[in-house]
Amino acid sequence: DTPETRNLAGPDRLGESLEREEISSRVQAALQRIPPHYRQALTDRFVTGYSTRQVARRRRIPLGTVLSRVANGKRILRASLED
């Protein structure tokens, strides 16, 4: 056994791994359906890991705009995942 196969040896771990993959696929698909400026803010903030200030500087937009886009993007993404 390799460490990789040992980690997936039990049915619980395999199920958890498959569930994580399914959730990741659903989130990626939902991200593609939301407006680009929200997707960009969410991706910069949560995937890339930039702070809201870093996103504002990087995108050259006001901090309040970033905060709004992140909050609205999360709301839209959540609603999309509930469908």
Side-chain angles (χ1 to χ4, degrees), residues 2-27:
T2 66
E4 293 80 19
T5 57
R6 252 182 274 134
N7 287 338
L8 297 178
D12 290 341
R13 291 190 182 183
L14 179 58
E16 289 170 8
S17 177
L18 292 173
E19 186 175 335
R20 276 193 304 274
E21 287 179 29
E22 180 183 342
I23 291 169
S24 178
S25 293
R26 288 184 62 217
V27 170

Side-chain angles (χ1 to χ4, degrees), residues 31-46 55-56 58-59 61-62 64-76:
L31 274 171
Q32 294 306 310
R33 292 190 300 266
I34 68 173
H37 57 282
Y38 295 127
R39 179 174 55 245
Q40 193 173 62
L42 290 174
T43 302
D44 285 350
R45 179 69 185 96
F46 298 109
V55 174
R58 183 171 184 264
R59 298 289 175 190
I61 56 177
T65 302
V66 173
L67 292 170
S68 175
R69 287 180 182 178
V70 168
N72 289 325
K74 284 170 53 176
R75 181 180 47 77
I76 294 167

